[in-house]
Amino acid sequence: MKAQTHRIPIVSLTLAVFLAAAPSTWALPRIKVLATGGTIAGAQVTQADAGYKSGTFSVEDLIKAVPQMTNIAVLTGEQVANIGSQTMNHEVWLKLAARVNEALKSPDVDGVVITHGTDTMEETGYFLSLVVKSDKPVVLVGSMRPATAISADGPINLYNAVALAGNPEAKGRGPLVVLNDTIQYARETQKMHTTRMDTFASPNRGIAGMMNTGKAFFYSTNPVRHTTKSEFSIADLTVANLPRVEVVYSYANLGGELIDTLVAQGVKGIVLAGVGDGNSTDAALAALEKAAKQGVAVVRCSRTGAGVVDRNVEVNDDKLGFIAGMELNPQKARILLMLGLTRTQDIKQLQRFFVEY
Ligand code: DGL
């Protein structure tokens, strides 16, 4: 009898303590970290190996390295790949996009963070912009210094990314890139410097906002079509059925031979990384015109890194059968053309994609 009378207050006390502690945990956003490698998971190696190696640490190592993140989110991790992003490829993109869509479909996931090398982060982010089917936050994050470097930037970048992925204000904006306290739209951003921490910039529309130790300040919205409003999807895509699209870099004295070779190899699309306003030599333009007449989709972009390549300015796109790449840099134009060609080969429709996405 005595024992029973004591049990009730102990149970009540336990319950009271539990309830007092629980709501803060329950209220935390649930974030899935999908790891792909990159410098953020890289370690310095011996001098003989020259520098460092991307993709050394696992997703669990990354999460454990920033224990402060448990104060702002409930984290789960998954290793999708562990590569330097210079070797990013269509196979990993399709796998990653499938995992992102799967994760975001779950009511138990509020947002996704993707750890990624910075070399091709903008391409992966733009690919996801076009094929993710959710308005929940998707945040790509990397670092410029490996985890073992002096003043490694990975931990703060990861903390910011997790905070942003759990922030309702980040919903509906399309994939975001976070590094160096800066938020950028994946569609806008590009890597501009080989080594500096402020390597990412959004030269056309500007940055999306700023982070201050987990707090987000948004400056702009993302007006282009993406994610839930995108007409593209990975549903029927495989590595084998993605149309081959190549980029040809323009420079003084470029001939048409490379373009002819690509056409002979059966490419479905060519993106010109043109000089200036998407321009090139007479020989290259003649080869591209010939390619377009044979049914290859030709998109003109600029190698300058900023600006709009609009239709029919210095090059007569109507006459030559070209598509203007508008605001996209050549590497992103390749992605849109590839996905566009899974839908249509009609030049007008393909041009519409470059205006809307
Ligand atoms: N190899 C590069 C990559 O994984 C290193 C650059 C980086 O991750 O920042 O993209």
Side-chain angles (χ1 to χ4, degrees):
M1 280 303 283
K2 227 175 184 188
Q4 262 178 359
T5 51
H6 277 123
R7 213 172 281 149
I8 293 162
I10 289 167
V11 169
S12 315
L13 187 67
T14 312
L15 190 63
V17 169
F18 177 68
L19 286 176
S24 62
T25 313
W26 288 346
L28 288 179
R30 293 143 310 165
I31 306 301
K32 180 136 207 160
V33 180
L34 299 176
T36 70
T39 298
I40 193 165
Q44 286 169 316
V45 291
T46 58
Q47 274 304 323
D49 284 334
Y52 74 98
K53 193 175 173 319
S54 286
T56 307
F57 298 115
S58 69
V59 65
E60 287 80 21
D61 296 332
L62 292 179
I63 292 173
K64 262 191 256 146
V66 194
Q68 297 87 338
M69 292 192 303
T70 56
N71 299 328
I72 58 168
V74 177
L75 294 164
T76 49
E78 186 180 318
Q79 198 79 47
V80 176
N82 210 355
I83 56 175
S85 75
Q86 65 274 24
T87 61
M88 186 50 66
N89 55 64
H90 297 167
E91 191 182 344
V92 177
W93 277 355
L94 292 174
K95 183 177 172 195
L96 179 64
R99 295 307 300 133
V100 171
N101 279 327
E102 184 96 349
L104 295 181
K105 222 188 281 166
S106 163
D108 299 330
V109 174
D110 297 306
V112 158
V113 167
I114 299 165
T115 59
H116 198 290
T118 56
D119 288 356
T120 58
M121 185 181 284
E122 69 201 63
E123 292 177 57
T124 301
Y126 186 57
F127 179 73
L128 295 175
S129 274
L130 298 174
V131 300
V132 164
K133 298 291 170 207
S134 170
D135 68 353
K136 292 180 186 173
V138 175
V139 182
L140 291 100
V141 64
S143 73
M144 291 305 288
R145 295 176 183 161
T148 50
I150 298 170
S151 290
D153 53 331
I156 183 62
N157 289 346
L158 187 57
Y159 182 88
N160 279 335
V162 166
L164 190 61
N167 185 335
E169 268 197 86
K171 280 180 90 170
R173 294 176 180 271
L176 300 163
V177 165
V178 165
L179 260 94
N180 198 37
D181 291 348
T182 306
I183 312 167
Q184 319 219 17
Y185 294 111
R187 194 256 190 186
E188 300 303 320
T189 196
Q190 64 186 54
K191 189 172 183 180
M192 309 283 280
H193 194 278
T194 51
T195 53
R196 263 173 30 185
M197 307 252 280
D198 62 349
T199 182
F200 281 97
S202 298
N204 280 342
R205 292 180 185 244
I207 63 170
M210 294 289 300
M211 292 300 297
N212 186 357
T213 325
K215 193 162 179 205
F217 300 87
F218 277 102
Y219 300 162
S220 64
T221 53
N222 181 4
V224 302
R225 285 178 74 173
H226 58 78
T227 55
T228 53
K229 297 208 167 59
S230 169
E231 64 208 274
F232 305 110
S233 112
I234 54 161
D236 302 316
L237 292 187
T238 62
V239 171
N241 71 15
L242 269 172
R244 182 172 165 205
V245 176
E246 299 290 350
V247 177
V248 172
Y249 198 88
S250 188
Y251 46 86
N253 207 52
L254 175 64
E257 303 80 4
L258 185 58
I259 294 158
D260 293 342
T261 305
L262 290 174
V263 175
Q265 285 189 8
V267 291
K268 301 292 181 244
I270 296 176
V271 173
L272 175 72
V275 293
D277 194 7
N279 220 331
S280 198
T281 57
D282 290 345
L285 291 180
L288 289 171
E289 181 184 12
K290 205 165 48 160
K293 294 228 155 79
Q294 290 176 46
V296 176
V298 175
V299 176
R300 289 188 309 111
C301 293
S302 175
R303 68 177 200 181
T304 60
V308 181
V309 174
D310 201 358
R311 284 189 74 77
N312 301 324
V313 180
E314 204 177 344
V315 174
N316 189 334
D317 296 298
D318 289 347
K319 182 165 158 264
L320 302 176
F322 296 164
I323 297 152
M326 307 305 289
E327 294 175 33
L328 294 183
N329 64 23
Q331 55 271 33
K332 286 181 185 162
R334 188 190 77 87
I335 296 165
L336 181 57
L337 183 56
M338 200 167 59
L339 290 174
L341 284 168
T342 65
R343 289 281 186 268
T344 181
Q345 292 186 352
D346 179 72
I347 302 286
K348 283 207 173 80
Q349 285 303 311
L350 291 168
Q351 182 64 74
R352 175 178 70 77
F353 297 153
F354 280 84
V355 173
E356 294 181 0
Y357 294 89

